Amino acid sequence: MKEIIAIEGGHKLSGTVEISGAKNATVALIPAVVLADGPVNIYGVPNISDVDALKVLLEELNCTVFRDGDTIKIDPSNLQNVPLVSPAVDKLRASYYLMGSLLGKCKEVRMRMPGGCYLGPRPIDLHIKGFEALGAKVSYEDDCIVIKAEKLVGTKIYLDFASVGATINIILAAVKATGKTVIENVAKEPEIIDVCNLLTKMGANIRGAGTDTITIEGVEKLQGCNHEIIPDRIEAGTFLIIAAAAGERVVVQNVIPQHLESLISKLKEMGVVMEIIGDSIIVNGASEMVSCDVRTQVYPGFATDLQQPLTTLMTQAKGVSSVTENIYPERFGHCEQLANMGAHIEVFDGACKVYGPTKLTGTRVYATDLRCGAALIVAALISEGVSEIANVYHIDRGYENIDNKLIALGARISRRIVEN
Ligand code: EPZ
């Protein structure tokens, strides 16, 4: 038995959709809380399965975790630093942020390696390089990573690649280290700034978030605080693409437009008509879309997480579009699924070409990862007939309540349990 999402295509969407809190900030903010000596309240938490898994892990660490709607109240005062070996570790990649925060708080962490979407190799060598630079020793015992430090001492760290995860994890390990840590060539994603804002409210001394270099002066103690999560720029981008593909007039609300500049400029290039009013973006669809070329880059370049749903939109644009994937060269699982719906896509090493416009027809398709799931939802909404999307657990990891948000816009979408 498995759950599928069934979507009847061809219905124009109109109305307003409210964007939730950012998944990729949330999954770092929650592990960061263990660094505090008192309770932390986080508001705007999306109701996604990654948060469920992190709640399990924090409760294993004897933190009290209370969720009330989009608020999560966490008290890490009685933290017990036990090895993290439960299946919850495998549920998401971001469980690895507990490496940085437990190392930073307790000078020791023992845990299984993280899980998450398969997008090709996803090493954590840069995280380890940062921990070792701060004075930690890393070893592997009974399929756990063990990271220990007599003392964490601030130092200068250069990241060979502006890795989001490594940037955040090293910050988490360094905020209570002795002395000054300078991390160069860091990632500048908005989620990193959000984590640094939380840590600063807790009493950390961090400068430069959002620039190439972050400087941290270690502090003795971090206390509890309150924090509101930034809106999810990837969910917002996904809905802009949905609106461009299937919308008549869709208002995407609770957005920070600056976080979406690269996507907005690409959509305009394709002929999509949009209006930006405060924290809303109104998409008036597009009469005829033209092809475009996208190269994924670290922020503020075009987000790798949006190239998959945008590929679906490219199938409806006149001409030959291309995607060059510079972050995850193997992130093309969606192309085969889209081809099964009628798309004409050629996949090369780290790139693809999309020929359009092509008519898409509903059929059974399989989400290979979270953003592939998003790409297939866009495709199903514009296909002729009914599509069935399997492996919906991928989608539920990162998109809160996506069915109801789409139904409110006029989509014909339902979930079914099927034999296979
Ligand atoms: C974060 O993953 C996001 N996940 C990803 O979103 C996103 O695609 C990615 O950043 C890039 O923006 C979360 O925030 C939970 P990276 P992360 O470290 O931190 C290589 C989604 O759909 N690398 O910036 O794992 C790595 O292999 C997910 O929401 C190393 O080589 O990304 C990849 O090629 C998918 N060594 C590149 O860097 C390392 O130590 C980018 O990885 C770390 C990374």
Side-chain angles (χ1 to χ4, degrees), residues 228-248:
E228 169 100 30
I229 301 175
I230 56 171
D232 192 319
R233 62 191 169 97
I234 307 301
E235 184 195 16
T238 304
F239 272 98
L240 291 180
I241 293 166
I242 286 170
E248 226 141 38

Side-chain angles (χ1 to χ4, degrees), residues 23-25 27-28 50 92-97 117 119-129 159 161-168 187 189 191 232-234 297-299 303-306 308 326-329 331 369-372 397-399:
K23 165 181 94 78
N24 290 345
V27 297
D50 276 6
L92 74 162
R93 179 162 174 81
S95 48
Y96 64 20
Y97 288 131
C117 291
L119 305 170
R122 299 182 79 180
I124 61 166
D125 56 309
L126 298 176
H127 303 233
I128 303 297
K129 173 181 171 183
L159 287 182
F161 175 84
S163 152
V164 172
T167 299
I168 293 176
E189 272 70 2
E191 294 75 29
D232 192 319
R233 62 191 169 97
I234 307 301
Q297 299 292 346
V298 295
Y299 189 85
T304 172
D305 296 347
L306 289 172
Q308 292 167 283
N326 297 308
I327 308 296
Y328 294 111
R331 194 174 194 168
D369 55 77
L370 167 56
R371 308 301 173 180
C372 168
R397 282 194 49 217
Y399 288 97

Side-chain angles (χ1 to χ4, degrees), residues 178-316:
T178 304
K180 179 173 173 178
T181 299
V182 178
I183 317 168
E184 292 184 332
N185 192 33
V186 293
K188 296 182 266 191
E189 272 70 2
E191 294 75 29
I192 291 165
I193 297 172
D194 208 33
V195 172
C196 289
N197 287 341
L198 168 77
L199 292 167
T200 302
K201 287 179 195 171
M202 287 162 63
N205 182 334
I206 306 173
R207 292 192 317 279
T211 73
D212 292 316
T213 302
I214 286 178
T215 303
I216 298 166
E217 293 288 351
V219 296
E220 292 280 311
K221 202 171 153 41
L222 294 171
Q223 71 269 351
C225 65
N226 296 331
H227 183 75
E228 169 100 30
I229 301 175
I230 56 171
D232 192 319
R233 62 191 169 97
I234 307 301
E235 184 195 16
T238 304
F239 272 98
L240 291 180
I241 293 166
I242 286 170
E248 226 141 38
R249 183 178 186 282
V250 175
V251 180
V252 182
Q253 221 161 28
N254 191 33
V255 173
I256 300 176
Q258 182 207 350
H259 290 171
L260 285 154
E261 270 170 9
S262 56
L263 174 67
I264 289 167
S265 79
K266 278 299 159 189
L267 291 175
K268 280 184 181 158
E269 208 180 297
M270 293 177 76
V272 178
V273 178
M274 289 169 286
E275 257 179 284
I276 298 177
I277 303 173
D279 70 348
S280 296
I281 301 178
I282 300 163
V283 184
N284 294 299
S287 46
E288 190 192 67
M289 280 182 287
V290 294
S291 62
C292 77
D293 298 316
V294 160
R295 295 170 177 281
T296 64
Q297 299 292 346
V298 295
Y299 189 85
F302 193 90
T304 172
D305 296 347
L306 289 172
Q307 63 91 343
Q308 292 167 283
L310 188 71
T311 299
T312 305
L313 191 66
M314 289 171 166
T315 67
Q316 304 308 302

